[in-house]
Amino acid sequence: MRTIPVAVQMYTLRDESAEDFAGTLKKVAELGFDGVEFAGYGGLDVKEVKALLEEYGLKAASSHVSLDALQSDLAKVIEEQKVLGSKFIVCPFLMPDQRSEEDYKKLIPFLEKAGEECRKEGITLCYHNHDFELDRLSDGRTALESIFDDVSPENLETEFDIYWLTKAGESPVEWIKKYHNRTPLVHLKDMTTDDEKFFAELGTGGVDIEAVLNIGDGANVQWWIVEQDASRKTPFESVEISINYLKEKLPYLAK
């Protein structure tokens, strides 16, 4: 099995990061993560963040950057990734007023152009899904299919979130297989089996995490990324449970 590194999405640890960004990164490294996916930089300059990554032996897997920021100053976003050593920029979320069929039609040419600009600079643009992109458009396709089918593969790749796919009644494995040449980043996230379908630590819910891990090599996944939007435990307790689960399933992580 190819060694695929594991990162944590820092949004999971947003409160801890707001209190002590450097200390949070240090704890992430101590838990055994290889890297982090950013959702902001704790008010620090990216050069300061890069120094912290180097100090703690972490890599910048990718960065979630709002659509507004991508639209307003893509050049700055790209330069920040170069400083961090990140090869992936991810469009993470569409606001509720940006989800009409007309909005998707406008989004697609923007992603095409932005993805081309990123590619020219050695960066890959990705799109992260929630469940609302699984709604059907007038042509019968899901919004998510329209995004990935209508934007050139070389200019846009995927960051499938397996929790949201599952919650929408979809199979994460089938989506990864369908776009297997475009799946460098995968959000690993479990879901409780009760009626609430709440976010869960890996291996404690009903999502078939192991099936996803088993196809990562063939799908050319570059990073597994642990994310838990909310937790019934403390966030650090949750990510520790998740990374320990992955250490059991991916022996190369047990350092």
Side-chain angles (χ1 to χ4, degrees):
M1 178 182 292
R2 181 169 54 89
T3 299
I4 302 173
V6 178
V8 64
Q9 164 53 255
M10 292 293 284
Y11 178 76
T12 308
L13 302 166
R14 54 195 176 276
D15 293 337
E16 291 75 9
S17 297
E19 184 175 333
D20 183 1
F21 193 81
T24 300
L25 287 177
K26 184 173 186 291
K27 178 66 172 175
V28 165
E30 290 171 348
L31 288 173
F33 286 93
D34 300 296
V36 294
E37 179 177 62
F38 289 106
Y41 310 115
L44 301 178
D45 181 84
V46 288
K47 292 180 180 179
E48 296 174 294
V49 175
K50 176 61 174 177
L52 290 172
L53 294 178
E54 291 179 346
E55 181 178 352
Y56 301 134
L58 293 168
K59 300 291 186 183
S62 52
S63 293
H64 276 200
V65 181
S66 71
L67 179 60
D68 286 346
L70 294 174
Q71 291 173 328
S72 64
D73 200 346
L74 181 60
K76 178 184 177 183
V77 173
I78 290 172
E79 286 306 309
E80 288 176 337
Q81 304 318 299
K82 289 182 176 181
V83 172
L84 292 169
S86 167
K87 298 297 185 183
F88 300 97
I89 296 170
V90 183
C91 180
F93 188 70
L94 298 180
M95 299 303 290
D97 62 352
Q98 298 174 313
R99 302 175 191 171
S100 71
E101 183 159 349
E102 188 61 31
D103 287 323
Y104 287 118
K105 289 180 179 178
K106 293 177 182 177
L107 176 65
I108 286 166
F110 170 75
L111 293 175
E112 185 79 61
K113 182 178 179 182
E116 182 179 11
E117 290 302 310
C118 289
R119 179 168 53 82
K120 289 177 179 177
E121 298 295 332
I123 305 289
T124 298
L125 180 65
C126 297
Y127 184 89
H128 168 273
N129 69 281
H130 289 75
D131 54 352
F132 54 81
E133 291 100 345
L134 279 302
D135 291 342
R136 298 279 172 183
L137 303 180
S138 60
D139 64 3
R141 295 183 299 171
T142 64
L144 196 58
E145 286 173 313
S146 73
I147 290 170
F148 291 128
D149 291 351
D150 294 349
V151 181
S152 304
E154 63 268 24
N155 290 334
L156 185 70
E157 300 195 4
T158 74
E159 182 177 58
F160 286 132
D161 185 305
I162 67 174
Y163 168 93
W164 291 112
L165 287 172
T166 302
K167 192 170 185 181
E170 299 284 331
S171 165
V173 167
E174 291 308 310
W175 276 88
I176 293 170
K177 286 181 177 179
K178 181 175 181 178
Y179 296 99
H180 70 280
N181 289 322
R182 297 172 71 179
T183 58
L185 310 175
V186 175
H187 268 196
L188 298 178
K189 191 185 302 182
D190 214 336
M191 182 171 66
T192 62
T193 56
D194 55 22
D195 291 340
E196 190 177 358
K197 297 184 178 179
F198 196 64
F199 306 102
E201 294 77 21
L202 299 184
T204 69
V207 179
D208 193 348
I209 306 294
E210 195 164 357
V212 173
L213 296 176
N214 286 340
I215 65 169
D217 198 358
N220 199 30
V221 173
Q222 300 299 304
W223 281 93
W224 300 120
I225 300 172
V226 173
E227 182 184 38
Q228 192 164 334
D229 302 42
S231 175
R232 293 170 177 167
K233 304 178 184 295
T234 70
F236 267 127
E237 286 175 330
S238 291
V239 298
E240 184 171 10
I241 291 169
S242 290
I243 190 64
N244 286 341
Y245 168 84
L246 291 176
K247 287 175 183 177
E248 291 180 3
K249 300 301 179 182
L250 305 172
Y252 58 79
L253 289 179
K255 300 173 182 177

